[in-house]
Amino acid sequence: MSIRVARQDGVAVVTLDRPEKHNALDLADARALTGVWRDLRTDESVRAAVVTGAGGRAFCTGIDRAAAEAEDAVPQPHAPFAIEDPLLSIGPKSCDLWVPVVAAVEGMACGGAFYLLSEVEFLVATEESAFFDPHTSYGMVGAYEAMGMAQRMPFGEVARMALMGAAERISGRRAYETGLVSELAPVGGALAAALECARVLARHPATAVQGTVRAVWAAKEAARNQAMAQAPPLIALGNLPPRQQAALFRERGRGAFRTR
């Protein structure tokens, strides 16, 4: 399994461990990550969590395209009113976990990584972190990702990121300036900084902390849920056929991108 979990001092560290694939998630990894969050719900020893990616080059780059494009890997409903998306339950809130979760982001975080990042309490990153959503470049509607991040970023910032696709990346500094990232750590130090915060949270009374997490999310989840209900038909209507998506994906890296 490519998901590692370590527990110490009341904190669970959840590590995406496929650095050779930029910590992209295959279908087994997605299921395992869902299982991790559900298991933590009943582990009274865990009072805070940190999620990070191994290797330093990437936090996560979303779904592993090779796995997703396998024949019949993810069968889809025939009507455009529902969608089978293996990443929809990889975040802690989708699994009904109200233990506070901090993300430690080193390197790239893009595409399907936002399913996860949109459901943590706050992010720690570095100057060299980079955030982007390549969906439009590959003929895909950036729906769930943009809707999730619209709860964390100013409208113009999330709209620009979603629309510019692979042509532009948001630096850790810009992400910090716009509120997506709450702290900039030295390169290689995001995990240590996130752990420092998590250990503080773990020392507070657990019910007070989790009740506060639940209260904060209650303030925004109605708008998020209403938006996400519109995602399936938007994706069904706006996505190119899978073969055309794959062709565009194979050409990645040929175009230049800017970082701001």
Side-chain angles (χ1 to χ4, degrees), residues 85-126:
D85 187 327
L87 299 188
L88 274 178
S89 61
I90 66 168
K93 303 305 174 293
S94 299
C95 297
D96 202 32
L97 176 71
W98 301 101
V99 166
V101 182
V102 183
V105 179
E106 297 269 359
M108 293 187 294
C110 64
F114 297 137
Y115 286 74
L116 187 51
L117 292 180
S118 67
E119 294 194 12
V120 302
E121 272 52 72
F122 53 90
L123 284 68
V124 176
T126 76

Side-chain angles (χ1 to χ4, degrees), residues 207-231:
T207 54
V209 170
Q210 293 184 38
T212 301
V213 169
R214 192 68 185 89
V216 170
W217 281 85
K220 63 190 239 177
E221 63 189 353
R224 183 173 183 266
N225 290 342
Q226 288 181 10
M228 292 181 76
Q230 306 300 315

